[in-house]
Amino acid sequence: MSNKLVLVLNCGSSSLKFAVINPITGHKMINGLAECFNLPDARIKWSVSEKKQAMPLPANSAHCAAILYIVQEIINTKQGLSDQFIAVGHRVVHGGEKFTQSVIIDETVIESIENCTSLAPLHNPAALLGIKAAQTAFPTLSQIAVFDTAFHQTIPAEAFMYALPQSLYKEHAVRRYGMHGTSHLFVTREAAKLLNKPIEETNVITAHLGNGGSVTAVKNGKSVDTSMGMTPLAGIVMGTRCGDIDAGIIEYLISRCGYSLEGVMDLLQKQSGLLGLSGISSDCREIEEASDAGHEGATLALRIFSYRLAKYIAGYSVPLGRIDAIVFTGGIGENSDHIRRCTLEMLSIFGYKVDKEKNCATRFGKSGVITAQDSPIAMVIATNEEWVIAQDCAELVVK
Ligand code: ADP
């Protein structure tokens, strides 16, 4: 088993992350990103054993062309590599209520993923393209679907129901599903190890803060509430997404401000969040630099980001009762000592005290506790969603 590898594909709407990973050690033999799909400057970059390479893809390339390139130009050029593959693991954003765990893909699974497309119209079709291309490239290998929503299927009705007529849930599946499940699961497992507790007895609040972001309350190792909703638009402030807003704003923008519904959705998904607030960028690093240079919009954006995050974390004391640790992960969570410090300062009512040195030193892939000795624990854990996908694949094909 030690020489067995999994090809992990994570197809977004305009990009594709891929990795060749050992499911036991988590070592990534190949790691890469194809991006700018359907644009003239479509391109691919990857690293093999830390050695970085990049190539343009033919103009307007998308998922199929990228997968073909990955197979023919990256994988097949390493002799014997594909012989070690035991499965291809696919990240699928939305599994609705149908999927509570990862599954081997067959025609019925494909149909069910298609049926969930209305819940993730940008993401599920991309995953299906990836599945079909991988089936063609590796016709004899098991293809496994790993769902972003699966970890959250333990959330109870009091947390997943909206206060809308129940018929909308029963007839149209309108409810909270949550996303980033593989990341929340991974960092929960790692946090339990760091806390030296069995996962079944671990209560943590996990904050996955990337371009998209979500916070999850994990009780006894299971998700009991999460900030994203039926779609990834809800919850905390994100790179370009607004997070929670008053639903009445939508009606106001359409009836009073001349927006079409499409225009409103574009505004809420692509022009809001850190980008909309700062007016300069959706990228936390750039906003921090601008804030340091005195840009008021950037400073306000960072403050609102931390405030909304802190409110979610505080709110999750309700389902958890006891909080063993707050866990920061994702690009911002792993790297922004500024956001972590501001957020924990806003939670001082719970007794959180940041250890400045540890907080500043825990960046760039390092994991560890960032709070003082006499404080409740907050920690940083570098996420590894690909590893969770590879582990699930290995488990399913060995069964
Ligand atoms: P994605 O959701 O696309 O996977 P990532 O998890 O890579 O996103 O997170 C991207 C975010 O992480 C960006 O806002 C980026 O600015 C932020 N980030 C990365 N490195 C740093 C850093 N050193 N300091 C602050 N923010 C950072």
Side-chain angles (χ1 to χ4, degrees):
M1 192 58 196
S2 59
N3 289 327
K4 300 301 181 191
L5 300 171
V6 174
L7 171 62
V8 173
L9 297 178
N10 177 353
C11 291
S13 51
S14 60
S15 67
L16 185 170
K17 289 182 188 163
F18 61 99
V20 173
I21 182 164
N22 180 319
I24 295 169
T25 61
H27 173 69
K28 283 180 195 161
M29 186 169 277
I30 300 177
N31 195 23
L33 169 73
E35 58 188 346
C36 302
F37 286 171
N38 301 308
L39 292 172
D41 54 349
R43 56 184 177 247
I44 186 163
K45 51 188 180 185
W46 71 98
S47 54
V48 182
S49 315
E50 310 284 299
K51 191 172 160 242
K52 293 187 175 152
Q53 297 178 68
M55 284 298 283
L57 289 168
N60 303 315
S61 284
H63 305 81
C64 293
I67 291 176
L68 198 67
Y69 189 94
I70 293 164
V71 174
Q72 292 184 345
E73 307 296 330
I74 304 176
I75 292 171
N76 285 353
T77 52
K78 311 238 155 303
Q79 229 191 356
L81 181 64
S82 64
D83 297 341
Q84 297 180 56
F85 287 0
I86 51 167
V88 184
H90 299 267
R91 173 189 178 223
V92 182
V93 164
H94 224 302
E97 285 189 331
K98 172 95 183 161
F99 297 103
T100 55
Q101 54 195 24
S102 305
V103 288
I104 296 179
I105 296 170
D106 58 17
E107 278 313 306
T108 329
V109 170
I110 289 186
E111 210 176 286
S112 302
I113 296 172
E114 272 163 2
N115 290 341
C116 293
T117 291
S118 57
L119 296 169
L122 292 179
H123 291 94
N124 274 23
L128 286 164
L129 286 174
I131 290 168
K132 288 190 179 137
Q135 281 175 328
T136 309
F138 301 102
T140 56
L141 276 184
S142 295
Q143 310 279 331
I144 314 282
V146 180
F147 298 91
D148 250 26
T149 45
F151 181 57
H152 300 301
Q153 277 298 303
T154 45
I155 293 178
E158 68 212 37
F160 77 62
M161 290 287 291
Y162 291 115
L164 293 168
Q166 277 207 34
S167 55
L168 284 176
Y169 167 57
K170 290 184 181 148
E171 290 159 29
H172 297 288
V174 175
R175 54 158 285 180
R176 179 189 306 283
Y177 291 95
M179 277 92 204
H180 298 132
T182 46
S183 177
H184 291 294
L185 172 61
F186 180 81
V187 299
T188 298
R189 283 181 186 157
E190 294 301 306
K193 283 185 212 159
L194 263 178
L195 292 165
N196 205 15
K197 290 184 88 142
I199 189 161
E200 309 77 44
E201 290 169 24
T202 301
N203 286 9
V204 285
I205 297 173
T206 52
H208 176 103
L209 313 173
N211 284 310
S214 65
V215 190
T216 295
V218 182
K219 187 172 192 172
N220 300 327
K222 294 200 161 73
S223 172
V224 290
D225 204 350
T226 194
S227 61
M228 278 185 171
M230 176 163 134
T231 74
L233 193 50
I236 55 174
V237 175
M238 293 171 248
T240 61
R241 286 175 240 161
C242 59
D244 296 339
I245 57 161
D246 174 353
I249 292 171
I250 296 171
E251 192 264 342
Y252 183 85
L253 290 175
I254 293 173
S255 65
R256 300 293 175 94
C257 307
Y259 278 85
S260 63
L261 180 59
E262 213 179 35
V264 172
M265 294 320 290
D266 188 76
L267 177 85
L268 304 183
Q269 284 168 339
K270 299 190 184 148
Q271 301 172 45
S272 299
L274 288 174
L275 173 65
L277 285 168
S278 68
I280 49 171
S281 172
S282 63
D283 189 296
C284 187
R285 254 169 312 200
E286 286 177 23
I287 298 172
E288 285 184 8
E289 278 164 22
S291 173
D292 289 345
H295 190 290
E296 281 180 21
T299 304
L300 183 65
L302 295 173
R303 188 124 191 104
I304 295 174
F305 186 98
S306 299
Y307 177 70
R308 295 267 296 268
L309 174 58
K311 279 215 309 185
Y312 256 103
I313 293 172
Y316 286 159
S317 59
V318 174
L320 294 190
R322 187 196 78 239
I323 303 167
D324 296 327
I326 296 171
V327 184
F328 292 96
T329 192
I332 297 174
E334 290 168 32
N335 296 299
S336 175
D337 51 301
H338 175 88
I339 291 286
R340 295 188 306 233
R341 179 175 49 74
C342 288
T343 307
L344 291 171
E345 279 172 3
M346 290 181 191
L347 291 165
S348 61
I349 189 159
F350 294 95
Y352 287 99
K353 287 184 212 153
V354 176
D355 180 314
K356 270 193 186 160
E357 255 174 52
K358 285 187 197 160
N359 186 35
C360 291
T362 313
R363 302 172 71 197
F364 310 125
K366 274 197 194 160
S367 297
V369 172
I370 55 165
T371 36
Q373 285 283 344
D374 59 344
S375 161
I377 297 172
M379 56 174 71
V380 175
I381 293 180
T383 197
N384 194 336
E385 291 163 276
E386 291 88 357
W387 194 4
V388 175
I389 295 173
Q391 283 171 334
D392 277 12
C393 288
E395 220 171 87
L396 279 167
V397 294
V398 164
K399 264 184 191 167

